[in-house]
Structure formats: C-alpha cells, structure tokens
Amino acid sequence: MTEAWPDTRDNHAMRPCGRLPILDQFENCELAKIDASEWYVPNADERRLLTQAGDRLGVYLMAYRVRQVAETGRGLCNRIVAARLDPAALDAILEIESAFPDVAIVAYERPLRRRE
C-alpha cells in the first residue's frame, strides 16, 4: 500500500480521521516507499486518544495491526527510532493498547530520529 492518506502537513484541521501525526513528518514521496499494510487506521475518537496520549508522553504513537507484517525492510520502524519508555509511560501505552483489540501501539521518539 502506498500513500495511504493525502498530505495534510500544512492544514492539521483537514487531516483525515485515521492519519496519525507521526505520518505528517514524512514527505509523500517517502511515505510511498513505506509498506503501510500493517498500519491500523483509527477512527476519529481513536486518533484523538492516540494523539493526546502521544502529546502527554512526548512521543509519536503509531498503531499497527498485530497479524500483519510489512515487507522486509519497508516498515516504518526501518526508518525511525523507537522511543525509550520509562515504566509509567509503558504502562500508559499498555492501558491504551488494551482498548484496541488486535492492535499494537508503538512509541517513536519525538522529534523523530531517523535510522542511518
């Protein structure tokens, strides 16, 4: 899957309901190279919950479908560094994750740090 959502970096009010803020950190040409098949597309309420939690924790949160696997080397995690979480932040994410059946929530550093 490529370009799952239109680019809305310049107008966050126009962001589609499922597009999480982390995706706004990438140009469309870079998003096109990432395998989005494992991404979970949250509804508006879920997106709000993930966005607010990410803001509170100082990370970007991304939602993944647990039974999907990106093509080797093309996943989002191949491009950016996951966040190091203290036990309280990990507990908060696990609590959020419990509200999303069959979804894994992953925290990435904010600001994003790209893998070299």
Side-chain angles (χ1 to χ4, degrees):
M1 176 188 242
T2 59
E3 293 190 4
W5 295 280
D7 183 11
T8 57
R9 273 187 298 279
D10 296 332
N11 188 351
H12 293 294
M14 297 286 296
R15 182 186 293 134
C17 69
R19 186 171 176 142
L20 292 168
I22 190 171
L23 300 176
D24 293 334
Q25 305 305 304
F26 296 90
E27 298 293 331
N28 276 345
C29 60
E30 189 172 10
L31 281 176
K33 296 175 186 173
I34 299 171
D35 182 349
S37 65
E38 65 184 348
W39 297 354
Y40 173 78
V41 181
N43 65 36
D45 291 335
E46 292 169 335
R47 180 186 149 288
R48 191 174 312 105
L49 173 69
L50 290 167
T51 300
Q52 290 172 348
D55 290 346
R56 204 171 44 255
L57 296 169
V59 298
Y60 285 112
L61 295 179
M62 186 63 186
Y64 294 95
R65 297 183 297 159
V66 286
R67 289 178 189 74
Q68 277 303 123
V69 179
E71 182 181 330
T72 302
R74 292 196 54 221
L76 185 62
C77 61
N78 294 96
R79 297 183 176 273
I80 56 178
V81 177
R84 290 181 180 251
L85 302 172
D86 62 31
L90 185 55
D91 285 345
I93 291 171
L94 289 172
E95 184 177 332
I96 294 166
E97 199 172 55
S98 69
F100 290 77
D102 299 321
V103 174
I105 307 298
V106 177
Y108 292 99
E109 288 187 0
R110 186 175 183 173
L112 292 181
R113 186 163 51 105
R114 299 190 185 260
R115 293 186 183 274
E116 296 180 23

